[in-house]
Amino acid sequence: MSRLHTLKIERMSNSPDGIAHLDSGKTVFVSDVCPGDVIQARIVKEKSSFARAEMVSVEEPSPERVYAACPYAGQCGGCPWQQISYNAQL
């Protein structure tokens, strides 16, 4: 089992992923997050200049994190930013 990393989500990318950095400085992309979240994540794919991780848990939710209005959020992939408040999305 790969080790867990504590990551602070800095901002959203142009895709559905949030951006954080490992202690080494390597950029990490994580889905289903909100800017400002502090999460536990597991690296699932690593390249020379970036990595992808899956969120395991939210340790400290961002003040901008909201409950997704759609009951299928996180499953269908059609609206990947529903966990982010409308004002933060703008």
Side-chain angles (χ1 to χ4, degrees), residues 23-86:
D23 291 338
S24 67
K26 184 178 280 191
T27 301
V28 182
F29 295 96
V30 190
S31 295
D32 301 321
V33 295
C34 183
D37 281 347
V38 176
I39 65 165
Q40 289 289 308
R42 182 175 293 112
I43 303 296
V44 294
K45 186 175 189 179
E46 193 158 6
K47 299 285 190 175
S48 60
S49 61
F50 71 94
R52 292 203 175 275
E54 66 180 16
M55 180 175 57
V56 173
S57 64
V58 177
E59 299 298 306
E60 295 176 35
S62 166
E64 299 298 339
R65 180 173 275 280
V66 296
Y67 180 77
C70 176
Y72 302 104
Q75 295 174 19
C76 79
C79 29
W81 285 18
Q82 281 206 10
Q83 73 280 3
I84 305 170
S85 72
Y86 181 71

Side-chain angles (χ1 to χ4, degrees), residues 4-26:
L4 295 179
H5 298 270
T6 301
L7 301 173
K8 171 112 185 205
I9 305 303
E10 300 162 16
R11 62 186 175 86
M12 298 305 288
S13 67
N14 293 332
S15 72
D17 298 326
I19 297 174
H21 289 89
L22 296 174
D23 291 338
S24 67
K26 184 178 280 191

